[in-house]
């Protein structure tokens, strides 16, 4: 019975992994890119300035942005102002101002306007030096949970189902491999199926806690979408009851449905309290400068008092938490904020799990670990998919006819495991080669990715299996190795410049491309070196009788002596 249970788990592990393996490979690889999405976006927008350790102080930025809002004609008619400060935090917004105009009709939102400013002069950045339109790293990150070309709700549910299958595959894999930790220290190269199984075991165990965490937390992200009856059962069906749920969950962010029309900024700006003393008070309470990321101005809106809010993003903590301080816009008196649910156990658990999944808190070293473990997870799925074909290939070759199902899995493996990395490399090539003023260039970057993925599948169908592996892996290696050279030719933000200015975040992208190129070149070479034995039937050699030798006398085995 015990052995029967393990065999059942082995069957479950094999088929849950295979059925959704290609989607999971896509999710893991694009999700890993999401851990450096900010750096990838900076690479894909070479018009952005290099990072500098010298920043304009918060006081100067606030003064320049405030002066711009005070004199901009359209901002005078706005019902809200906002200032985004440039900080040295990873992923900080550009120095910019924004405002919201009054809605034209009741129940609608007013037009939102944003203007990026030069941090030195406080004037709008000219169109000539604005960053090019691009999907950036965020597009790859979004693909890993919403896919592409299909409705958002469908995408997150498809990925959710596949994620649940992966969770089952991980648990059943742990049960199946009773010597999994012992096998972690065992790798037997050049042994065919045995080598692939060893590689799969080693990669699976080396970051097993990460795989469990990332899979479970991925399910938590869209818990309400995967279990849609929870909120209606407690709060009732309908949009109003759903709004009531979110209002109780996030009381500080709920909207005031009975707010009256607010005066425009031009009418009341002379009554505003001086902003610099408030900024100094916020800096003192938050323990120094470089803490404020955003400032918002709200005039009187009925039950909501006129206020100025200073926001700080707690990116150095695991839990996703945003703190703020509010002051009366006319008197400068501190406003006691409404009690939040953020410190309650369920919210702490939820934000901590989601924070672990996103890794926003991570230092550069921890972020590198996130990327490496993400790549290991991708390799775990890849080795599992290849192992399925390697295990069954001898039987297929022995019959001299490969079944349709097995041949399809072989080709899908090539198209996804080798073709998807190539397609992502083409995505970066498209960013450099598509003209900056090309219409819908961000969409065409993504189109190039999926066109390459489709062509990889067609190529895998039209070429012999081994040659398709070798050639697509070689194409991927060349694509990544040549990306830094393409960057050198087409921009002035290449590897030499980023290293010279010590912008290591930007330089890490070019170095990462070189690293991936070397990995794919090695993989292509390994397949090429084994090309003669991959698709040949396994011939078992007959065992020779054991002969024991003592000096010059040969002992005859007892079985032959008796004959």
């Amino acid at each position: 019975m015990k052995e029967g249970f393990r065999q059942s788990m082995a069957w479950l592990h094999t088929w849950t992994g295979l059925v959704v393996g290609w989607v999971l490979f896509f999710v893991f690889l694009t999700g890993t890119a999401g851990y450096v999405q900010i750096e990838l976006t900076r690479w894909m927008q070479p018009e952005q300035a290099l990072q500098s350790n010298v920043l304009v102080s918060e006081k100067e930025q606030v003064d320049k942005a405030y002066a711009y809002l005070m004199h901009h004609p359209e901002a005078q008619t706005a019902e809200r102002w906002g200032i985004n400060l440039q900080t040295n935090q990873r992923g900080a917004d550009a120095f910019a101002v924004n405002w919201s105009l009054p809605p034209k009709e009741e129940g609608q939102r007013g037009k939102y306007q944003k203007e990026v400013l030069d941090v030195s002069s406080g004037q709008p950045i000219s169109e000539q030096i604005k960053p090019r339109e691009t999907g950036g790293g965020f597009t790859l990150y979004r693909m890993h949970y919403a896919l592409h070309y299909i409705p958002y709700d469908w995408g997150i549910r498809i990925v959710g189902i596949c994620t649940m299958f992966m969770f089952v595959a991980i648990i059943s894999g742990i049960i199946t491999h009773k010597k999994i930790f012992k096998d972690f220290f065992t790798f037997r190269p050049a042994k065919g199926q045995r080598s692939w199984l060893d590689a799969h075991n080693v990669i699976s165990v080396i970051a097993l806690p990460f795989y469990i965490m990332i899979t479970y937390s991925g399910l938590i992200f869209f818990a309400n979408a995967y279990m849609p009856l929870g909120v209606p059962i407690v709060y009732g069906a309908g949009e109003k009851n759903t709004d009531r749920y979110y209002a109780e969950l996030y009381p500080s962010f709920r909207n005031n449905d009975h707010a009256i029309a607010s005066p425009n900024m031009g009418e009341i700006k002379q009554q505003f309290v001086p902003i610099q003393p408030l900024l100094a008070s916020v800096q003192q309470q938050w323990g120094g400068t470089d803490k404020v990321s955003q400032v918002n101005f709200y005039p009187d809106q009925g039950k909501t008092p006129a206020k100025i809010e200073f926001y700080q993003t707690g990116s150095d903590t695991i839990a996703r938490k945003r703190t703020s301080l509010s002051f009366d816009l006319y008197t400068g008196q501190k406003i006691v904020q409404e009690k939040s649910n953020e410190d309650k156990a369920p919210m702490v658990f939820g934000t901590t799990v989601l924070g672990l999944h996103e890794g926003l808190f991570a230092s550069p070293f921890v972020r590198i670990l996130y990327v490496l473990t993400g790549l290991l997870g991708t390799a775990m799925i890849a080795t599992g998919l290849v192992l399925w074909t390697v295990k069954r290939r001898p039987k297929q070759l022995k019959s001299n006819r490969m079944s349709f199902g097995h041949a399809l899995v072989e080709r899908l493996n090539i198209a996804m495991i080798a073709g998807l990395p190539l397609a992502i490399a083409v995505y970066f090539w498209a960013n450099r080669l598509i003209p900056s003023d090309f219409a819908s260039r961000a969409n065409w970057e993504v189109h190039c990715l999926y066109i390459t993925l489709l062509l990889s599948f067609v190529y895998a169908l039209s070429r012999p299996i081994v040659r398709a592996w070798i050639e697509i892996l070689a194409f991927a290696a060349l694509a990544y190795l040549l990306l830094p050279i393409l960057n050198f030719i087409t921009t002035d933000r290449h590897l030499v410049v980023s290293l010279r200015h010590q912008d290591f975040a930007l330089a890490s992208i070019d170095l990462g491309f070189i690293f991936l190129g070397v990995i794919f070149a090695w993989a292509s070479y390994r397949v090429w070196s084994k090309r003669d034995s991959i698709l040949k039937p396994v011939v078992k050699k007959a065992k020779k009788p054991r002969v024991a030798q003592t000096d010059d006398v040969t002992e005859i085995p007892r079985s032959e002596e008796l004959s």
Side-chain angles (χ1 to χ4, degrees), residues 30-44 90-91 135-142 144-145 358 360 367 371 428 509:
T30 53
T32 300
Y35 287 124
V36 287
Q37 60 170 304
I38 293 171
E39 291 77 11
L40 286 173
T41 301
R42 286 191 60 221
W43 189 91
M44 297 177 77
R90 176 181 178 269
F138 176 75
T139 296
L140 293 176
Y141 167 73
R142 191 179 187 276
H144 101 278
Y145 64 85
E358 291 183 313
L360 298 178
R367 187 164 300 280
V371 172
F428 298 124
I509 301 302

Side-chain angles (χ1 to χ4, degrees), residues 185-241:
F185 299 98
T186 303
F187 179 71
R188 286 152 283 194
K191 297 293 183 181
Q193 177 187 334
R194 183 71 255 179
S195 298
W196 282 106
L197 182 59
D198 287 346
H200 185 65
N201 288 340
V202 170
I203 295 172
S204 299
V205 177
I206 197 170
L208 183 60
F210 175 82
Y211 306 145
I212 295 174
M213 178 276 292
I214 211 71
T215 307
Y216 175 74
S217 58
L219 293 170
I220 296 295
F221 248 100
F222 299 104
N224 285 341
Y226 302 151
M227 297 182 289
L229 297 180
V231 174
I233 288 174
V234 177
Y235 289 86
E239 187 176 347
K240 287 188 176 180
N241 289 320

Side-chain angles (χ1 to χ4, degrees), residues 58-90:
E58 290 176 346
K59 180 180 181 302
E60 291 182 63
Q61 291 188 61
V62 169
D63 280 342
K64 292 172 181 176
Y66 191 57
Y68 184 85
L69 289 169
M70 279 290 205
H71 297 94
H72 192 279
E74 191 177 55
Q76 306 307 300
T77 61
E79 63 176 5
R80 184 198 63 81
W81 284 353
I83 300 174
N84 294 328
L85 302 182
Q86 186 183 70
T87 69
N88 62 4
Q89 294 180 355
R90 176 181 178 269

Side-chain angles (χ1 to χ4, degrees), residues 538-552:
V538 178
V539 179
K540 293 184 178 181
K541 296 180 179 180
K543 292 184 178 180
K544 296 181 180 180
R546 188 176 61 183
V547 178
Q549 294 184 349
T550 305
D551 296 331
D552 295 332

Side-chain angles (χ1 to χ4, degrees), residues 297-491:
F297 300 80
Y298 299 95
D300 188 8
Q301 296 187 11
K303 294 183 179 181
T304 304
K307 62 182 179 179
I308 176 172
E309 286 185 322
F310 295 84
Y311 286 95
Q312 175 193 24
T313 303
S315 60
D316 57 342
T317 58
I318 295 178
R320 299 191 305 173
K321 196 172 183 180
R322 188 177 184 183
T323 57
S324 65
L325 288 174
S326 301
F327 301 86
D328 190 289
L329 190 57
Y330 303 128
T331 66
Q333 184 178 359
K334 186 177 180 181
I335 297 175
V336 178
Q337 295 180 336
E338 194 171 354
K339 189 175 180 181
S340 172
N341 290 321
E342 288 185 341
D343 295 329
K344 293 183 179 179
M347 286 292 287
V348 170
F349 173 78
T351 55
T352 300
V353 169
L354 300 186
L356 282 170
H357 187 96
E358 291 183 313
L360 298 178
F361 67 94
S363 63
F365 174 73
V366 175
R367 187 164 300 280
I368 291 172
L369 293 181
Y370 261 89
V371 172
L372 291 177
T373 48
L375 292 176
L376 284 173
T378 308
M380 174 188 69
I381 297 168
T383 53
L385 290 170
V386 173
L387 180 60
W388 190 93
T389 59
V390 170
K391 184 177 180 180
R392 290 157 179 78
R393 189 180 294 153
K395 185 177 179 181
Q396 298 284 325
L397 296 175
K398 188 176 180 181
S399 63
N400 292 323
R401 184 177 180 275
M402 190 173 288
S403 67
F404 172 79
H406 184 92
L408 180 63
V409 173
E410 291 268 18
R411 310 296 181 170
L412 285 172
N413 280 353
I414 298 169
M416 188 59 68
I417 297 173
L420 179 60
L422 172 61
I424 293 176
V426 170
Y427 176 68
F428 298 124
W429 274 78
N431 173 263
R432 288 295 188 262
L433 297 180
I434 297 176
S436 298
D437 57 351
F438 188 81
S440 303
R441 73 181 311 278
N443 292 331
W444 273 102
E445 290 174 354
V446 180
H447 296 337
C448 290
L449 186 155
Y450 282 97
I451 290 171
T452 304
L453 188 59
L454 177 61
L455 291 177
S456 297
F457 180 65
V458 174
Y459 193 86
L461 289 174
S462 60
R463 296 288 287 166
I465 290 174
V466 178
R467 288 186 176 275
W469 274 114
I470 295 171
E471 291 160 1
I472 297 181
L473 287 171
F475 293 154
L478 281 173
Y480 281 106
L481 289 173
L482 293 177
L483 268 172
I485 299 175
L486 176 68
N487 190 31
F488 181 87
I489 295 171
T490 56
T491 75

